[in-house]
Amino acid sequence: MKTFKVSEITLNVGQSVYLEGETSDKLYTILEGWAFRYKSMPDGRRQIVNYAYQGDFLGLQNSMTDKSPHGVEALTILRLCVFQKARLPSLFEKQPSLALDLTWLAAREERFLDEGLLSVGRRTAREKVSYLLWYLHTRALEAGLTFDNTLFLPMNQQHFADTLGISLVYVNRTLQRLRSSGCLTLTGRTLVIHDKTRLAELAGIDPKRPERRPII
Amino acid sequence: MKTFKVSEITLNVGQSVYLEGETSDKLYTILEGWAFRYKSMPDGRRQIVNYAYQGDFLGLQNSMTDKSPHGVEALTILRLCVFQKARLPSLFEKQPSLALDLTWLAAREERFLDEGLLSVGRRTAREKVSYLLWYLHTRALEAGLTFDNTLFLPMNQQHFADTLGISLVYVNRTLQRLRSSGCLTLTGRTLVIHDKTRLAELAGIDPKRPERRPII
DNA sequence: CGCGCACTTGACATGCGTCAAATTACGTGG
DNA sequence: CCACGTAATTTGACGCATGTCAAGTGCGCG
């Protein structure tokens, strides 16, 4: 294990863990803070692909020699643990349970991405915004980042727009309408969920197929 | 290895490997044929999340006890190899290279999903359809399923629509316009790419950031 | 020969995008 | 603590890409 860990680094808001198109032979775990993964088009259109926080791995999708197909940027101050990806094979040999953990994490990320695709592809704007807030709240719960249904969100409306595939202006209008529905408050960066069941309804989440409960 | 493999099964077009909401303690590899993974909303809206063919794993995202968050359906006759997921830990111990392979496959799937999110979230209808055809052709190349730029596509326009998050009617109109651009022919289920570079342009794929070349 | 399903096409409706400007919040230096 | 500059949020007016509805058309299969 001592040869696997390389170092610990800290990034500031807006700094990149790695850029789209950059090659990196590193792996990262988040010790503290929020980041987002994104992809973009030649003309600058951007799609945020997922958010990540403590315990999440970054860089697993990158080969060691090719350019990264996505970028990762810090949303808050971000403390990272850095590993050499080349050490992975020997690590898997010495500690097979680590391989299982990584498989589990990858599977979890895939489930998130699948949900994201459903959102972006098939939900209406109202459902999209509802779902995103529901999702962030649910993940924050899982990570112990909420206090009494209140939650600090490090992203702004532009991030929402780029996550959901709608325009900034329409995110704003949709948020207004959600606020007036009464089931949540979002002032500045503070989100309070008053009625999560209602929010799930607005998001078009199937009540008969509940999300998996937080693992631990 | 002999204790890992359970059996081999064959499905017909339209049959399900597993349904959304079903619990399954199995893992599958595709030996032959095409399938698609999908998720849906309570009211029936459907999002196809990815396509899979020979060599791809299915069921990795499912826990052994919870309901599957997505379904998988056969697009062609589908031959599958079935494994017991519970055997994975001991397998990883005996054969750490398998863990690496699975990690690689999971990373590959994540890259596909990221691309899908970019498509659905940020591309226009024309770019979406172009990208999907480009993507299917590229993957088919990688798998040795094309012959002289000609490729059999097992999916219909409804599948395209559900993949791209647009309506069936608009997929059709967009295909018409793509055909008249001259860079492809799509008659029935046969796709011929005449000018792949042009197709990539229409899809808004960054020329400076080429997709990773087929591995092997 | 006829039924069913995939594909087409036209007419019309609308959810969301775009442009532009106003307003508010926020950090920074004086 | 205030003044200022910059970024984030909000609102209005208008346009368009895409959706919806509905009616064909073509074709494979029994």
Side-chain angles (χ1 to χ4, degrees):
Chain A
M1 198 62 179
K2 54 176 84 90
T3 56
F4 188 51
K5 177 163 176 175
V6 169
S7 62
E8 212 176 291
I9 60 174
T10 302
L11 297 188
N12 244 312
V13 180
Q15 290 190 305
S16 289
V17 181
Y18 49 84
L19 292 169
E20 219 175 342
E22 202 172 291
T23 87
S24 152
D25 56 352
K26 307 262 190 310
L27 263 179
Y28 308 84
T29 7
I30 302 185
L31 300 174
E32 189 185 2
W34 285 82
F36 66 92
R37 298 199 301 120
Y38 65 92
K39 287 179 71 71
S40 46
M41 307 263 305
D43 64 0
R45 280 172 282 176
R46 181 177 73 167
Q47 176 69 34
I48 293 182
V49 138
N50 203 4
Y51 296 94
Y53 57 44
Q54 69 213 33
D56 286 324
F57 265 78
L58 297 173
L60 217 52
Q61 299 91 344
N62 301 341
S63 93
M64 289 185 297
T65 54
D66 280 334
K67 301 180 168 195
S68 173
H70 67 264
V72 181
E73 191 179 310
L75 272 173
T76 63
I77 287 190
L78 195 64
R79 279 203 308 126
L80 297 171
C81 191
V82 190
F83 304 99
Q84 282 291 9
K85 188 178 269 194
R87 299 272 160 73
L88 216 50
S90 70
L91 240 243
F92 275 11
E93 269 178 53
K94 273 176 230 148
Q95 209 173 324
S97 69
L98 179 76
L100 272 184
D101 291 348
L102 274 194
T103 305
W104 154 255
L105 274 175
R108 186 180 95 121
E109 179 75 7
E110 282 186 36
R111 288 195 301 267
F112 289 154
L113 295 176
D114 289 353
E115 265 297 342
L117 268 163
L118 179 62
S119 251
V120 174
R122 286 310 189 195
R123 286 192 229 257
T124 66
R126 204 197 51 187
E127 291 168 333
K128 286 180 185 187
V129 176
S130 304
Y131 178 78
L132 181 56
L133 296 177
W134 182 93
Y135 166 77
L136 290 170
H137 182 258
T138 303
R139 285 197 63 185
L141 262 184
E142 181 189 319
L145 294 174
T146 71
F147 174 68
D148 204 19
N149 284 331
T150 301
L151 157 63
F152 172 78
L153 289 183
M155 59 288 281
N156 61 28
Q157 297 184 6
Q158 184 65 62
H159 291 114
F160 288 168
D162 288 345
T163 307
L164 299 172
I166 55 187
S167 72
L168 168 63
V169 174
Y170 208 67
V171 165
N172 187 283
R173 289 190 217 282
T174 307
L175 273 174
Q176 307 298 346
R177 274 181 277 143
L178 270 187
R179 279 191 258 252
S180 69
S181 86
C183 66
L184 61 86
T185 312
L186 179 60
T187 46
R189 311 246 141 141
T190 305
L191 172 67
V192 187
I193 310 269
H194 301 123
D195 185 345
K196 192 152 182 190
T197 311
R198 184 87 212 298
L199 184 60
E201 275 169 31
L202 289 172
I205 293 172
D206 194 340
K208 297 188 305 299
R209 199 180 307 127
E211 295 297 303
R212 68 197 57 245
R213 44 211 124 77
I215 324 290
I216 281 163
Chain B
M1 196 63 178
K2 53 175 85 89
T3 55
F4 189 49
K5 177 163 175 175
V6 168
S7 63
E8 212 177 291
I9 60 174
T10 302
L11 297 188
N12 244 312
V13 181
Q15 290 189 305
S16 289
V17 181
Y18 48 84
L19 292 168
E20 218 175 341
E22 202 172 291
T23 89
S24 152
D25 55 353
K26 308 264 190 307
L27 263 180
Y28 307 85
T29 9
I30 302 185
L31 300 173
E32 189 186 0
W34 285 83
F36 66 92
R37 298 200 299 119
Y38 65 92
K39 287 180 69 71
S40 46
M41 307 263 305
D43 64 2
R45 280 172 283 176
R46 182 177 73 168
Q47 177 68 35
I48 293 181
V49 137
N50 202 4
Y51 296 95
Y53 57 45
Q54 70 214 30
D56 286 324
F57 265 77
L58 297 172
L60 217 53
Q61 299 91 345
N62 301 341
S63 92
M64 290 187 297
T65 54
D66 279 334
K67 301 180 169 195
S68 172
H70 68 265
V72 181
E73 190 180 310
L75 272 172
T76 62
I77 287 189
L78 194 65
R79 278 203 309 125
L80 297 171
C81 191
V82 190
F83 303 99
Q84 282 292 10
K85 188 177 271 195
R87 299 272 161 73
L88 216 50
S90 68
L91 240 245
F92 275 11
E93 269 179 54
K94 274 176 230 150
Q95 209 173 326
S97 70
L98 179 76
L100 272 183
D101 293 347
L102 274 193
T103 305
W104 155 255
L105 274 175
R108 187 179 93 120
E109 179 76 6
E110 283 186 35
R111 287 196 302 267
F112 289 154
L113 295 176
D114 287 354
E115 266 297 344
L117 268 163
L118 179 61
S119 251
V120 173
R122 286 311 187 193
R123 286 192 230 258
T124 66
R126 204 198 52 187
E127 291 169 334
K128 286 180 185 186
V129 176
S130 305
Y131 178 77
L132 180 55
L133 296 177
W134 181 94
Y135 167 77
L136 289 170
H137 181 257
T138 303
R139 286 197 63 184
L141 261 183
E142 181 189 319
L145 293 174
T146 71
F147 173 67
D148 204 19
N149 284 331
T150 301
L151 156 63
F152 171 79
L153 289 183
M155 59 289 280
N156 61 28
Q157 296 185 6
Q158 183 65 64
H159 292 113
F160 288 168
D162 288 344
T163 307
L164 298 171
I166 55 186
S167 72
L168 169 61
V169 173
Y170 208 66
V171 165
N172 187 285
R173 290 190 217 281
T174 307
L175 273 174
Q176 308 297 347
R177 273 182 276 145
L178 269 188
R179 280 190 258 253
S180 69
S181 86
C183 68
L184 60 86
T185 312
L186 179 59
T187 45
R189 311 247 142 140
T190 306
L191 173 67
V192 188
I193 311 269
H194 302 123
D195 185 346
K196 192 152 183 192
T197 310
R198 184 88 212 298
L199 184 59
E201 275 169 34
L202 289 172
I205 294 173
D206 194 340
K208 298 189 304 299
R209 200 181 305 128
E211 295 297 304
R212 65 198 59 243
R213 44 209 125 76
I215 324 291
I216 284 162

